Amino acid sequence: MTTHQTSSLLLGLAVVVLLARLLGALARRLGQPAVIGEVLAGIALGPTLFHGALSDAVFPAGVRPLLGALAMVGVAVFMFLVGVEWDAGLVRGSGSLAAAVSFGSVLVPFGLGTLLALYLMDDYGTGDRTAFVLFMGVAMSITAFPVLARVLTDRGMARSPLGVLALACACVDDVLAWSLLAGVVAVSGAAGPGRWRILLAVPYLLGMLFVLRPLLRRFAARRPALPLTPAVFAAVLVGLLLSAAVTEWVGLHYIFGAFLFGVVLPRSAGERLRGEVHERLGELSGTLLLPVFFLVAGLQVDLSRLDAGGLGTLGLILLVAVGGKFTGAFTAARLHRMSVRDSAALATLLNTRGLTELIVLNVGLQLGFLGRDVYSLMVVMAVVTTVMAGPLLSWIIGRPADTARPAVGGRAGESAVPGLTAGPADTVGTVV
C-alpha cells in the first residue's frame, strides 16, 4: 500500500464510523433500529447523491478492495453472532404454531417472488435466468432475526408470548431461508470448475452438528465457568474463520460456515463463554466492521436515475415482499386460532428484514444473480419493510408501554397465543 492509500483508507474508515454513529443515533431518536440510520449512511456515501462525487473523493478506487475485505470479515462475524444467538429451544417451546407460521411466511413470498421475477425477467434478468428467479424468491422470504429481537426488546415484548413466538418463527425462518439460499447457490454452479466440491457440504454439515458440537458440549460441561482468555478467544476466531473458509471452498458462500460455527457453540454449559464472545465481537462488529459493510453495500446502490418505470417496479417489489410475508404468516396464525390482532402483529414483525436482507442481496450481487438496478430497488425494500415495522406494530397493538405485559390479550399471566407461554427471550440486539 502507498502512503496515499493508507491515509485514504484511515480517513474513509473514520468518516464511515462517525456517520454511522450519528445517523444510527438519529434513527433511534425517531423510534427506529440503529441499523436503519447506518444503512442510510452507506447509501448517502454512495453514487445516489452527487452522482458519486462524494464517494469518489472519500473512497478512491485504490482503497475499495480493502474496504470490501473488511466488509467480508464483518459479515462473517455478524453471521457467526446470529448463529450463536440462534436458539432451537424457542422453536421446541412453541410447538407446531411457529413451524406453521414460519412455513407460511417463507413459502408464500417465495412463490410470489419467483412469479415477480418471471415478470421482471426481460428488464432486470441476468445471464442465469434460473438463479435470478429462485434468488428473487429467497430474497422476498427473509426475516431479520437480530433486528426483530431488537424491536421486541426496545418495546419490552421480548418475554411476552407474542415476542417469544415471533423469535421462534424467526429462528425457523432463518433455517428455511438459508437452506433455500444454499440450494440456489449450489444449483447455480457458482462454484465454477470445482463445482463437484459442493458434494462435500453434506458431510461437513453432519460433522459439525454430530461430531464437533457434542465434543464442544462435553468440553464446556467440564469447564462451566471457563473465562474467555486470549487463547480461548483465538480458538473461537480460528474456528469461525476456518468454517467460513471451508463453506466458501466447497461452493457455498462463507456466510454459511460462519453461521454454522456459531450454531455449534455449546449453549447451557457454555453460557458465560458465549456471552463474553458475543460482547467482544459484537462491539467490534457493530462499531467498525458492519458500518464498513453498509458502505460497501451503499456504493452499489444508485437511485439517481430512478424513473417512473423504476418506481413502478419498486411498488411491485414492495407489494410482493410485504403482502406475501404478511399473508402467509397471518393466514397460518389464524388457522391456529390466534386472534386477528395478534396474527396481524406477528405478520408485521416477520416483515422486518434489515441487515440480514442486505447480506442476502450482496450475495446475489457478488454471484451475479442480481443486476445493480434491481439490487438498488431491493435495498430500498429492505429499508422500507424494516422502518414500517415499529409504527405498524404501534397501530395494531398500542404503544411500547402497553405491550410490556406478561400476556398478549386476556388476563395477566394468561397467554392469548394457543399453546405458548412466556419464556426467556432476551436475545440479540447489540449487533444491530
Side-chain angles (χ1 to χ4, degrees):
M1 289 180 61
T2 65
T3 299
H4 177 69
Q5 286 177 316
T6 302
S7 60
S8 296
L9 175 63
L10 296 176
L11 174 62
L13 290 176
V15 171
V16 169
V17 172
L18 179 61
L19 191 59
R21 297 300 294 177
L22 290 175
L23 292 187
L26 178 60
R28 284 197 173 280
R29 291 289 299 272
L30 296 175
Q32 293 293 333
V35 66
I36 294 298
E38 294 168 354
V39 171
L40 293 178
I43 295 176
L45 291 171
T48 296
L49 300 179
F50 311 113
H51 301 287
L54 180 61
S55 58
D56 291 340
V58 182
F59 310 104
V63 304
R64 294 193 182 187
L66 304 175
L67 293 172
L70 280 176
M72 180 189 69
V73 175
V75 170
V77 171
F78 173 79
M79 291 304 302
F80 165 74
L81 293 176
V82 173
V84 168
E85 295 152 354
W86 192 85
D87 187 2
L90 286 173
V91 182
R92 289 192 295 267
S94 61
S96 61
L97 177 57
V101 173
S102 298
F103 275 94
S105 68
V106 169
L107 296 182
V108 173
F110 179 86
L112 293 177
T114 57
L115 293 177
L116 177 62
L118 290 173
Y119 174 76
L120 299 177
M121 181 70 71
D122 291 339
D123 295 326
Y124 296 98
T126 58
D128 192 335
R129 299 170 66 90
T130 301
F132 174 72
V133 171
L134 294 177
F135 184 84
M136 284 291 288
V138 173
M140 296 295 182
S141 309
I142 296 297
T143 293
F145 179 83
V147 179
L148 171 61
R150 170 50 65 190
V151 170
L152 292 172
T153 301
D154 288 346
R155 299 180 65 87
M157 295 175 59
R159 292 180 179 272
S160 71
L162 180 60
V164 174
L165 177 60
L167 290 172
C169 291
C171 284
V172 179
D173 274 14
D174 271 351
V175 173
L176 292 175
W178 295 126
S179 299
L180 288 170
L181 180 59
V184 173
V185 174
V187 302
S188 70
R195 66 182 61 183
W196 60 268
R197 294 197 295 258
I198 196 68
L199 300 175
L200 300 175
V202 173
Y204 179 71
L205 173 64
L206 296 176
M208 291 287 284
L209 294 178
F210 299 108
V211 178
L212 180 60
R213 191 176 192 179
L215 289 175
L216 292 176
R217 280 179 175 173
R218 293 195 198 103
F219 178 81
R222 289 196 294 266
R223 299 170 177 82
L226 180 67
L228 188 63
T229 63
V232 174
F233 189 55
V236 172
L237 286 178
V238 168
L240 155 65
L241 297 173
L242 285 178
S243 184
V246 168
T247 53
E248 181 75 22
W249 180 78
V250 301
L252 295 177
H253 203 271
Y254 65 86
I255 59 174
F256 298 107
F259 175 78
L260 182 59
F261 189 72
V263 169
V264 302
L265 282 188
R267 282 335 185 234
S268 57
E271 188 64 36
R272 175 184 174 184
L273 180 63
R274 289 175 59 243
E276 292 182 354
V277 167
H278 186 281
E279 182 178 358
R280 288 197 193 179
L281 285 179
E283 289 181 357
L284 174 64
S285 175
T287 305
L288 175 62
L289 298 179
L290 284 182
V292 173
F293 167 73
F294 294 134
L295 167 68
V296 172
L299 291 177
Q300 304 296 328
V301 175
D302 187 359
L303 301 174
S304 61
R305 296 173 295 177
L306 189 63
D307 55 13
L311 287 174
T313 301
L314 176 60
L316 286 175
I317 289 173
L318 287 169
L319 179 64
V320 169
V322 177
K325 180 73 77 169
F326 190 94
T327 301
F330 181 85
T331 302
R334 290 293 291 145
L335 290 175
H336 279 73
R337 304 190 310 280
M338 282 185 66
S339 69
V340 173
R341 188 186 73 162
D342 290 342
S343 298
L346 180 60
T348 299
L349 286 167
L350 294 181
N351 249 308
T352 304
R353 288 176 170 86
L355 176 56
T356 307
E357 179 75 29
L358 292 183
I359 292 174
V360 171
L361 293 177
N362 272 271
V363 171
L365 188 65
Q366 291 170 10
L367 299 180
F369 300 160
L370 294 180
R372 286 189 61 177
D373 289 342
V374 72
Y375 167 83
S376 299
L377 298 178
M378 293 291 284
V379 169
V380 175
M381 178 272 290
V383 173
V384 171
T385 53
T386 305
V387 167
M388 73 180 194
L392 278 180
L393 200 59
S394 296
W395 180 68
I396 293 170
I397 62 175
R399 300 185 305 275
D402 298 330
T403 60
R405 55 184 185 269
V408 182
R411 296 184 299 274
E414 180 180 285
S415 172
V417 182
L420 187 65
T421 56
D426 288 336
T427 53
V428 298
T430 58
V431 296
V432 298

